[in-house]
Amino acid sequence: MREFIVEADGGSRGNPGPAGYGAVVSDAATGQTLRESAEYIGVATNNVAEYRGLLAGLRAAHALDPAATVHVRMDSKLVVEQMSGRWKIKHPAMKPLAAEAARVFPPGRVTYEWIPRERNKHADRLANEAMDAGAKGGQWSEPASTAELDTATGAAPTAPPEPPGDATAGAARVRDALARCRTSAGSPDGAAPAAEPAPTTLGASTSGASTSGVPTPGAPEPTAAQPGSSSNADETGALGDSSSTADETGALGAKAEADSRAARTVASPGWAPADMGTPATFVLLRHGETPLTPQKRFSGSGGTDPSLSDVGREQAERAAAMLARRGTIQAVVSSPLARTRETAGIVAARLGLDVEIEDGLRETDFGAWEGLTFAEVRERHPDDLNAWLASPDAEPTGGGESFAATAERIAATRDRLLAAHQGRTVLLVTHVTPIKTFVRLALGAPPESLFRMELSAASLSAVAYYADGNASVRLLNDTSHLR
């Protein structure tokens, strides 16, 4: 079965005003452009023009192969969410267009993905060509179009970060890579090349330092990220705006080759590319700094419950601004502690969402160690500290919570939230130990891995959860929005 990529866009110079759309159909396996479509549609709104572009792209794909599957990419969050069934369609001018688009292919044969505007340049240029033609009293002409040429010869854009939880994009890349593998000369299905190191992506920190709320023995103490500061690790964020000084065309080619290598590695006999639908994605935001954070003191759920410092509030504002730019968060859930509720409130206000409180997201109770530094605990309770570092079942002095108990609580919380937010992207505002535990459980890593992750104040991580029970860590300790 063939698979097509449809990229569509629409624009209005006035909203409503003179409007036009553009649509491109390409082969998912080769990337070859198969059809272009554009039209000046008179006076209309941006959203109506976008729907007209979608409809034209789907019809062009259907004309090429009515039995194909289609993956639609648009920079209109409204159209993508409405056609995916997650948002209601209220505008009377868009309802019939959406219904018509849904009838072009049978149900289940079309998937939708939001992409940043810079990745939709071909369709955008077509829409502008159509509006330019309309302004001159004519219509768009395919032979006269230079949209594909302009897009191909223009400056290669930096490979943009994907929105958190946008696992559909990754799945599409793997399917494309698998198809390339099957058709490449001398490369049989399932053949794996010699092992090569995978590139570091998605903002994962390469630093050897660890911050589990306490320093790891033998590791240098990390410096908490603050607005305007920079990290000693390369943290190109999948959620934030990033730039590259490397040759960008080469970077894109290397990424495509990495996708092919990964596809060949996993394409063993018997694996099927089953479509499991949109995953639920938890974007994990650690709260901003409190007065205790730069002092590196134990601060769990059994202590003084400090509020954010001025630095912490600034960090929360920066995280909120970045998440608002991405536009992918559909719900906000917070730990009940003051520092997380304050952080969540700042972000939710920027996103126009309410905050749900979930007790299961609270920090570990550190018992008698609350408010103490690691060195002070080492001096006062050396045996208890050594036992705690050696075993996940050991509790902090005074009846605190063990890491094993925390993991059990987080697993139960995860399951509750997944049941309540199937297929949605949810921001969880929580603490060091819960976030590291979400990541550890997703990776199937041992408890001691908690001491081997760096997690800065106001950092972002992300985990996607699929219908078959598997999980994928998409991001870890991204602090690019704080620089």
Side-chain angles (χ1 to χ4, degrees):
M1 180 183 293
R2 295 183 74 183
E3 182 180 8
F4 297 133
I5 302 295
V6 169
E7 294 175 343
D9 199 10
S12 172
R13 294 170 179 173
N15 197 30
Y21 67 75
V24 186
V25 182
S26 59
D27 189 291
T30 66
Q32 178 186 0
T33 297
L34 304 175
R35 290 286 188 278
E36 290 180 318
S37 179
E39 184 183 1
Y40 173 70
I41 60 174
V43 175
T45 66
N46 276 325
N47 295 145
V48 167
E50 288 164 345
Y51 263 106
R52 290 286 298 273
L54 168 64
L55 187 55
L58 290 174
R59 285 172 172 167
H62 189 272
L64 288 168
D65 187 350
T69 60
V70 178
H71 185 64
V72 176
R73 297 172 178 165
M74 297 182 69
D75 59 54
S76 170
K77 183 71 171 173
L78 178 80
V79 175
V80 168
E81 292 298 319
Q82 288 179 340
M83 292 303 298
S84 299
R86 292 186 288 269
W87 290 2
K88 290 183 179 180
I89 304 172
K90 298 179 181 180
H91 197 287
M94 291 189 284
K95 285 183 178 180
L97 293 172
E100 196 170 353
R103 289 194 296 266
V104 176
F105 282 90
R109 294 253 295 277
V110 182
T111 56
Y112 291 87
E113 173 194 351
W114 176 88
I115 58 174
R117 187 176 192 137
E118 60 267 23
R119 288 175 59 191
N120 204 27
K121 286 186 176 180
H122 193 163
D124 177 72
R125 288 178 188 270
L126 287 170
N128 277 286
E129 284 185 351
M131 287 184 280
D132 290 342
K136 298 174 183 177
Q139 273 292 355
W140 177 82
S141 170
E142 185 171 5
S145 173
T146 61
E148 182 175 17
L149 179 63
D150 291 344
T151 305
T153 59
T158 302
E162 295 165 356
D166 191 2
T168 306
R173 285 202 308 273
V174 172
R175 288 196 298 271
D176 295 353
L178 283 168
R180 288 196 299 272
C181 294
R182 295 189 185 104
T183 57
S184 61
S187 180
D189 281 353
E196 299 183 44
T200 301
T201 59
L202 296 176
S205 172
T206 57
S207 170
S210 168
T211 55
S212 60
V214 296
T216 300
E221 291 193 358
T223 301
Q226 299 183 17
S229 68
S230 62
S231 169
N232 59 358
D234 179 15
E235 299 178 54
T236 302
L239 294 172
D241 296 328
S242 61
S243 60
S244 172
T245 57
D247 182 271
E248 291 163 347
T249 302
L252 291 172
K255 190 174 190 302
E257 176 57 27
D259 287 337
S260 295
R261 289 200 307 269
R264 287 195 296 266
T265 301
V266 303
S268 56
W271 284 41
D275 184 1
M276 292 176 286
T278 304
T281 299
F282 292 164
V283 180
L284 307 165
L285 172 62
R286 185 188 170 194
H287 60 81
E289 280 192 12
T290 74
L292 299 181
T293 307
Q295 299 175 27
K296 295 182 173 56
R297 295 185 180 276
F298 282 92
S299 183
S301 58
T304 59
D305 194 16
S307 297
L308 297 179
S309 63
D310 289 341
V311 169
R313 280 185 284 275
E314 172 66 16
Q315 291 171 331
E317 292 285 359
R318 289 181 180 235
M322 187 275 295
L323 290 169
R325 287 195 302 271
R326 301 312 304 171
T328 54
I329 300 299
Q330 296 167 288
V332 178
V333 184
S334 173
S335 153
L337 300 184
R339 52 197 183 272
T340 45
R341 285 189 288 106
E342 190 174 355
T343 302
I346 291 170
V347 176
R350 186 68 174 265
L351 301 180
L353 298 171
D354 295 326
V355 178
E356 173 189 343
I357 301 300
E358 168 57 62
D359 185 66
L361 294 176
R362 68 186 185 277
E363 180 58 287
T364 299
D365 182 347
F366 293 113
W369 302 350
E370 294 279 357
L372 302 180
T373 65
F374 187 85
E376 288 169 341
V377 173
R378 170 74 75 188
E379 180 182 351
R380 301 179 193 184
H381 310 285
D383 293 339
D384 290 346
L385 180 61
N386 289 336
W388 181 75
L389 293 171
S391 171
D393 295 314
E395 298 176 350
T397 307
E401 189 178 21
S402 69
F403 282 147
T406 300
E408 185 175 344
R409 166 166 58 85
I410 293 301
T413 302
R414 174 201 61 197
D415 293 346
R416 277 197 310 276
L417 292 173
L418 287 175
H421 298 283
Q422 295 181 17
R424 305 181 79 203
T425 298
V426 182
L427 180 70
L428 306 186
V429 187
T430 181
H431 310 264
V432 169
T433 312
I435 293 174
K436 290 187 175 185
T437 302
F438 275 110
V439 172
R440 179 181 81 76
L441 295 175
L443 295 173
E448 56 266 29
S449 63
L450 294 175
F451 296 108
R452 299 191 176 107
M453 297 183 224
E454 179 176 357
L455 206 67
S456 303
S459 65
L460 285 156
S461 304
V463 181
Y465 297 91
Y466 296 88
D468 66 350
N470 285 314
S472 172
V473 175
R474 302 292 306 275
L475 189 69
L476 181 64
N477 195 41
D478 178 20
T479 57
S480 58
H481 52 286
L482 302 179
R483 299 175 194 154

